[in-house]
Amino acid sequence: MPASLLHNCCPFRTSLRIAFCLLSLLLNLPLLEAQETETLQQKLARLPQPWQKKLHRLTLKEYTETLKFWEQTHPDLVQVDRIGVTLEGIPLPMLKITDPKTDLKQKQICLVTALHGGPERSGTTAVMHFVEWMLSDDPEAVATRQKQLLLIIPIINPYAYFETDRFGNSQKIDPYTGGGTTNWDLKTFQFKLPEKSPEVMAVLSVVDQFQPDVHVDVHGTGLQEYAPEQLGSRERYRGQTMFEVTGSAYSNMSLRPWDWRITEAINQSGEAAGFGYDRFEADAQRLFWGNSLTAMSNKLWLGRPQFYTAHYGYAHYHTMLMAFEVGWEQSGLARLQGLMKIGNQRWQDEFHSGYPVNRVNSYIGHYVSAWGTTARARRQSRVELWKQQPRFSQAVLYPQTAGRDTYLVATSQKAAELLSADIPEFLANIKDSPDIDQSALQTIIEAGPEIKFAVSKGRALGPKELPIEHGISFQLRLPYHQPDLVDIRLNGHLLHKSETDGYVSWQGSGFTYVQINVPPEKSKTHDLYLITCLYAPKEQRTYGWKPPAQVLNRIK
């Protein structure tokens, strides 16, 4: 066949090439198999084998002497307290790290624990790296010591950590859960078996004494998957890791901060250090599980809300909780550093610097919040309000309207009886209240188009209702960036700017926040707070929609 004809005969040329390739493959198949086998062996030989070298196993003596060394070499920064002792007589130490030259009243309090620090050793070793960093001259560590008090418990279960590599203490009680919900009175959140777990009681005593703003619990890798007969010398191998997560756990989705942006900010610190993190239901692309969705549970996120010891701080003091799973200590350190940065700065939609922990109740974008100009004052207010807030009743004018906002809060059952969804009835109820300018309130309320109040009633907690001793604040969230605040009133009385007795405002997360501050001398004698805010948005936003002109013309 002429070359020109072969060149132009595409089907023939393609068939010829396929036949040639198949013949070549058949002739070389044994050789390829031999090369592939050899290549696989070479690949395996080139891979690092870190597990061939064991990790150093921290001893009780080394641990104790290290804490003593830190206290001796940094006497102005470190104090080691004994917070308890195990049933075997092993002390339970806690490090307190802060800069004593700065005002303690202004400081956030952060509790760092390793509640699973029996077999899960990388949680403890990550915390030990964190202590070293906290005592360094790194600028962020210096700032953290100036702005926060760190309470650090690297090992809460020394019997497990140094003796057994099991989760429980000698009485089979895991400090992480306290042995399960049967060991707790979940109405009062009191632990029922203090004599069997001094480790749990030590943690609770710290939480009760300091009422921390945040509690981060660091978990990780270890020998927990090994049966007792597999433990051998009980030395871990190098290279053992795990999926790393922040702010929660696969088994318990309730170990996370209430603000997912905090988790993301912490993760970004870890990612900057070269690590990646699983994001639970987001990565799995699944919805949360709930009781009403049990029928489709096999299609939902596998995590379930479970109780654990750290919930004690949330239940009693509105402490923000989170858990870390640590595969690499440097990853745990980077994330703890990221958490410290959050506590050192002003969070996205907060007025004061520090951890965002001050809102204790909410209703349709309105918040009851802690009062105070210092971290200590806000902590006292937060804890008091958190315990009383279930009885608070709240209301807003509804539907809501641009240019005007209302927020009504009753902190007693008697005051709650004055609230009503019916506007004329509510105005009549407050007509004879001596501390309320009913006329000003009526003028503001009746000037708008709203038809009712949306009301959320609290629940009675008992016959005795205590006054609010430490002040109270209320936050409005206006959906505009820089509105003119024309008129802000409490109980019909005009307010002026003040961080203690008046209002403050700031921008955050696309909103303008207005916080009304009521000092202790007023909160002790008041139980009804009627807040109104008139403002000019200064932004032109469109409302409604019309069909195209062609459609309107067609249907005329």
Side-chain angles (χ1 to χ4, degrees), residues 227-255:
E229 63 273 12
Q230 296 175 311
L231 289 172
S233 64
R234 295 174 54 237
E235 293 175 291
R236 292 179 58 207
Y237 64 79
R238 293 178 182 271
Q240 179 187 355
T241 187
M242 64 181 299
F243 61 93
E244 291 199 307
V245 296
T246 301
S248 192
Y250 266 62
S251 61
N252 191 346
M253 70 183 190
S254 66
L255 309 187

CSV table of all heavy atoms in Angstrom, one decimal, residues 227-255:
chain,number,residue,atom,x,y,z
A,227,ALA,N,-5.0,-4.0,74.6
A,227,ALA,CA,-5.5,-4.8,75.7
A,227,ALA,C,-4.3,-4.9,76.7
A,227,ALA,O,-3.2,-4.8,76.4
A,227,ALA,CB,-5.9,-6.2,75.2
A,228,PRO,N,-4.7,-5.2,78.0
A,228,PRO,CA,-3.6,-5.3,79.0
A,228,PRO,C,-2.5,-6.2,78.7
A,228,PRO,O,-1.3,-5.9,78.9
A,228,PRO,CB,-4.4,-5.8,80.3
A,228,PRO,CG,-5.8,-5.3,80.1
A,228,PRO,CD,-6.0,-5.4,78.6
A,229,GLU,N,-2.8,-7.4,78.0
A,229,GLU,CA,-1.7,-8.3,77.7
A,229,GLU,C,-0.9,-7.8,76.5
A,229,GLU,O,0.2,-8.4,76.2
A,229,GLU,CB,-2.3,-9.7,77.3
A,229,GLU,CG,-3.2,-9.7,76.1
A,229,GLU,CD,-4.7,-9.4,76.5
A,229,GLU,OE1,-4.9,-8.9,77.6
A,229,GLU,OE2,-5.6,-9.6,75.6
A,230,GLN,N,-1.3,-6.7,75.8
A,230,GLN,CA,-0.6,-6.2,74.7
A,230,GLN,C,0.3,-5.0,75.0
A,230,GLN,O,1.1,-4.5,74.2
A,230,GLN,CB,-1.5,-5.7,73.6
A,230,GLN,CG,-2.3,-6.9,72.9
A,230,GLN,CD,-3.4,-6.3,71.9
A,230,GLN,OE1,-4.1,-5.4,72.2
A,230,GLN,NE2,-3.4,-6.9,70.8
A,231,LEU,N,0.3,-4.6,76.3
A,231,LEU,CA,0.9,-3.3,76.7
A,231,LEU,C,2.5,-3.5,76.7
A,231,LEU,O,3.2,-2.5,76.4
A,231,LEU,CB,0.5,-2.9,78.0
A,231,LEU,CG,-1.0,-2.3,78.1
A,231,LEU,CD1,-1.4,-2.1,79.5
A,231,LEU,CD2,-1.1,-1.0,77.3
A,232,GLY,N,3.0,-4.7,77.0
A,232,GLY,CA,4.4,-4.9,77.0
A,232,GLY,C,5.1,-4.0,78.0
A,232,GLY,O,4.7,-3.8,79.2
A,233,SER,N,6.1,-3.2,77.5
A,233,SER,CA,6.9,-2.3,78.3
A,233,SER,C,6.1,-1.0,78.5
A,233,SER,O,6.5,-0.1,79.2
A,233,SER,CB,8.2,-2.0,77.7
A,233,SER,OG,8.0,-1.3,76.4
A,234,ARG,N,4.9,-0.9,77.8
A,234,ARG,CA,4.0,0.3,77.9
A,234,ARG,C,4.8,1.6,77.4
A,234,ARG,O,4.5,2.6,77.9
A,234,ARG,CB,3.5,0.4,79.3
A,234,ARG,CG,2.6,-0.7,79.7
A,234,ARG,CD,2.1,-0.8,81.1
A,234,ARG,NE,1.5,0.4,81.5
A,234,ARG,CZ,1.8,1.2,82.5
A,234,ARG,NH1,2.9,0.8,83.2
A,234,ARG,NH2,1.2,2.3,82.8
A,235,GLU,N,5.6,1.4,76.5
A,235,GLU,CA,6.2,2.5,75.8
A,235,GLU,C,5.5,2.7,74.4
A,235,GLU,O,5.3,1.8,73.7
A,235,GLU,CB,7.7,2.3,75.5
A,235,GLU,CG,8.5,2.2,76.8
A,235,GLU,CD,10.0,1.8,76.4
A,235,GLU,OE1,10.2,0.7,76.0
A,235,GLU,OE2,10.9,2.7,76.6
A,236,ARG,N,5.1,3.9,74.1
A,236,ARG,CA,4.5,4.2,72.9
A,236,ARG,C,5.5,4.2,71.8
A,236,ARG,O,6.7,4.5,72.0
A,236,ARG,CB,3.8,5.6,72.9
A,236,ARG,CG,2.6,5.6,73.9
A,236,ARG,CD,2.0,7.0,73.9
A,236,ARG,NE,1.6,7.4,72.5
A,236,ARG,CZ,1.6,8.7,72.1
A,236,ARG,NH1,1.9,9.7,72.9
A,236,ARG,NH2,1.3,9.0,70.9
A,237,TYR,N,5.1,4.0,70.5
A,237,TYR,CA,6.0,4.1,69.4
A,237,TYR,C,5.8,5.4,68.8
A,237,TYR,O,4.8,6.1,68.8
A,237,TYR,CB,5.7,3.0,68.4
A,237,TYR,CG,4.4,3.0,67.7
A,237,TYR,CD1,4.1,3.8,66.7
A,237,TYR,CD2,3.4,2.1,68.1
A,237,TYR,CE1,2.9,3.9,66.0
A,237,TYR,CE2,2.1,2.1,67.5
A,237,TYR,CZ,1.9,3.0,66.5
A,237,TYR,OH,0.6,3.0,65.8
A,238,ARG,N,6.9,5.9,68.2
A,238,ARG,CA,6.9,7.1,67.4
A,238,ARG,C,6.1,7.0,66.2
A,238,ARG,O,6.1,5.9,65.5
A,238,ARG,CB,8.3,7.6,67.1
A,238,ARG,CG,9.2,7.9,68.3
A,238,ARG,CD,10.6,8.3,67.8
A,238,ARG,NE,11.4,8.6,69.0
A,238,ARG,CZ,11.5,9.8,69.6
A,238,ARG,NH1,10.8,10.8,69.0
A,238,ARG,NH2,12.2,10.0,70.6
A,239,GLY,N,5.4,8.0,65.8
A,239,GLY,CA,4.6,8.0,64.6
A,239,GLY,C,3.2,7.7,64.8
A,239,GLY,O,2.4,7.9,63.8
A,240,GLN,N,2.8,7.3,66.0
A,240,GLN,CA,1.3,7.1,66.2
A,240,GLN,C,0.6,8.4,66.1
A,240,GLN,O,1.0,9.4,66.8
A,240,GLN,CB,1.1,6.4,67.6
A,240,GLN,CG,-0.4,6.2,67.8
A,240,GLN,CD,-0.7,5.7,69.2
A,240,GLN,OE1,0.3,5.5,70.0
A,240,GLN,NE2,-1.9,5.6,69.6
A,241,THR,N,-0.5,8.5,65.3
A,241,THR,CA,-1.2,9.7,65.2
A,241,THR,C,-2.7,9.4,65.1
A,241,THR,O,-3.1,8.3,65.3
A,241,THR,CB,-0.8,10.6,64.0
A,241,THR,OG1,-1.4,11.8,64.1
A,241,THR,CG2,-1.0,9.9,62.7
A,242,MET,N,-3.5,10.4,64.8
A,242,MET,CA,-4.9,10.2,64.7
A,242,MET,C,-5.5,11.3,63.9
A,242,MET,O,-4.8,12.3,63.7
A,242,MET,CB,-5.6,10.1,66.1
A,242,MET,CG,-5.4,11.4,66.9
A,242,MET,SD,-6.1,11.4,68.6
A,242,MET,CE,-7.8,11.1,68.2
A,243,PHE,N,-6.8,11.2,63.6
A,243,PHE,CA,-7.5,12.4,63.0
A,243,PHE,C,-7.5,13.5,64.1
A,243,PHE,O,-7.8,13.2,65.3
A,243,PHE,CB,-8.9,12.0,62.5
A,243,PHE,CG,-9.8,11.6,63.7
A,243,PHE,CD1,-10.6,12.5,64.3
A,243,PHE,CD2,-9.8,10.2,64.1
A,243,PHE,CE1,-11.4,12.1,65.3
A,243,PHE,CE2,-10.6,9.8,65.1
A,243,PHE,CZ,-11.5,10.7,65.7
A,244,GLU,N,-7.2,14.7,63.7
A,244,GLU,CA,-7.2,15.8,64.7
A,244,GLU,C,-8.5,16.6,64.6
A,244,GLU,O,-8.9,17.0,63.4
A,244,GLU,CB,-6.0,16.7,64.5
A,244,GLU,CG,-4.7,16.0,64.9
A,244,GLU,CD,-3.6,17.0,65.2
A,244,GLU,OE1,-3.3,17.8,64.3
A,244,GLU,OE2,-3.0,17.0,66.2
A,245,VAL,N,-9.0,17.0,65.7
A,245,VAL,CA,-10.2,17.8,65.7
A,245,VAL,C,-10.1,18.9,66.8
A,245,VAL,O,-9.4,18.7,67.7
A,245,VAL,CB,-11.5,16.9,65.9
A,245,VAL,CG1,-11.7,15.9,64.8
A,245,VAL,CG2,-11.4,16.2,67.3
A,246,THR,N,-10.9,19.9,66.6
A,246,THR,CA,-10.9,21.0,67.5
A,246,THR,C,-12.3,21.3,67.9
A,246,THR,O,-13.2,21.4,67.1
A,246,THR,CB,-10.3,22.3,66.8
A,246,THR,OG1,-9.0,22.0,66.4
A,246,THR,CG2,-10.3,23.5,67.8
A,247,GLY,N,-12.5,21.5,69.2
A,247,GLY,CA,-13.8,22.0,69.7
A,247,GLY,C,-14.9,21.0,69.9
A,247,GLY,O,-16.0,21.3,70.1
A,248,SER,N,-14.6,19.7,69.7
A,248,SER,CA,-15.6,18.7,69.8
A,248,SER,C,-14.9,17.3,69.7
A,248,SER,O,-13.7,17.2,69.8
A,248,SER,CB,-16.7,18.8,68.7
A,248,SER,OG,-17.8,18.0,69.0
A,249,ALA,N,-15.7,16.3,69.6
A,249,ALA,CA,-15.2,14.9,69.5
A,249,ALA,C,-16.3,14.1,68.7
A,249,ALA,O,-17.4,14.4,68.7
A,249,ALA,CB,-15.0,14.3,70.8
A,250,TYR,N,-15.8,13.1,68.0
A,250,TYR,CA,-16.7,12.3,67.2
A,250,TYR,C,-17.8,11.6,68.1
A,250,TYR,O,-18.9,11.4,67.7
A,250,TYR,CB,-15.9,11.2,66.5
A,250,TYR,CG,-15.5,11.5,65.1
A,250,TYR,CD1,-14.7,12.6,64.9
A,250,TYR,CD2,-16.0,10.8,64.0
A,250,TYR,CE1,-14.3,13.0,63.6
A,250,TYR,CE2,-15.6,11.2,62.7
A,250,TYR,CZ,-14.8,12.2,62.5
A,250,TYR,OH,-14.4,12.6,61.2
A,251,SER,N,-17.4,11.3,69.3
A,251,SER,CA,-18.4,10.6,70.2
A,251,SER,C,-19.3,11.6,70.9
A,251,SER,O,-20.3,11.2,71.4
A,251,SER,CB,-17.6,9.8,71.3
A,251,SER,OG,-16.8,10.7,72.0
A,252,ASN,N,-18.9,12.9,70.9
A,252,ASN,CA,-19.7,13.8,71.8
A,252,ASN,C,-19.6,15.2,71.1
A,252,ASN,O,-18.6,15.9,71.1
A,252,ASN,CB,-19.1,13.9,73.2
A,252,ASN,CG,-20.0,14.7,74.1
A,252,ASN,OD1,-20.9,15.4,73.7
A,252,ASN,ND2,-19.7,14.6,75.4
A,253,MET,N,-20.7,15.6,70.4
A,253,MET,CA,-20.7,16.8,69.7
A,253,MET,C,-21.0,18.0,70.6
A,253,MET,O,-21.0,19.2,70.1
A,253,MET,CB,-21.8,16.8,68.6
A,253,MET,CG,-23.2,16.8,69.0
A,253,MET,SD,-24.4,16.6,67.6
A,253,MET,CE,-25.9,17.0,68.4
A,254,SER,N,-21.2,17.9,71.9
A,254,SER,CA,-21.5,19.0,72.8
A,254,SER,C,-20.2,19.5,73.5
A,254,SER,O,-20.3,20.2,74.4
A,254,SER,CB,-22.5,18.6,73.8
A,254,SER,OG,-22.0,17.6,74.7
A,255,LEU,N,-19.0,19.2,73.0
A,255,LEU,CA,-17.8,19.6,73.6
A,255,LEU,C,-17.2,20.9,72.8
A,255,LEU,O,-16.1,21.2,72.9
A,255,LEU,CB,-16.7,18.5,73.6
A,255,LEU,CG,-17.1,17.2,74.1
A,255,LEU,CD1,-15.9,16.3,74.2
A,255,LEU,CD2,-17.7,17.3,75.5
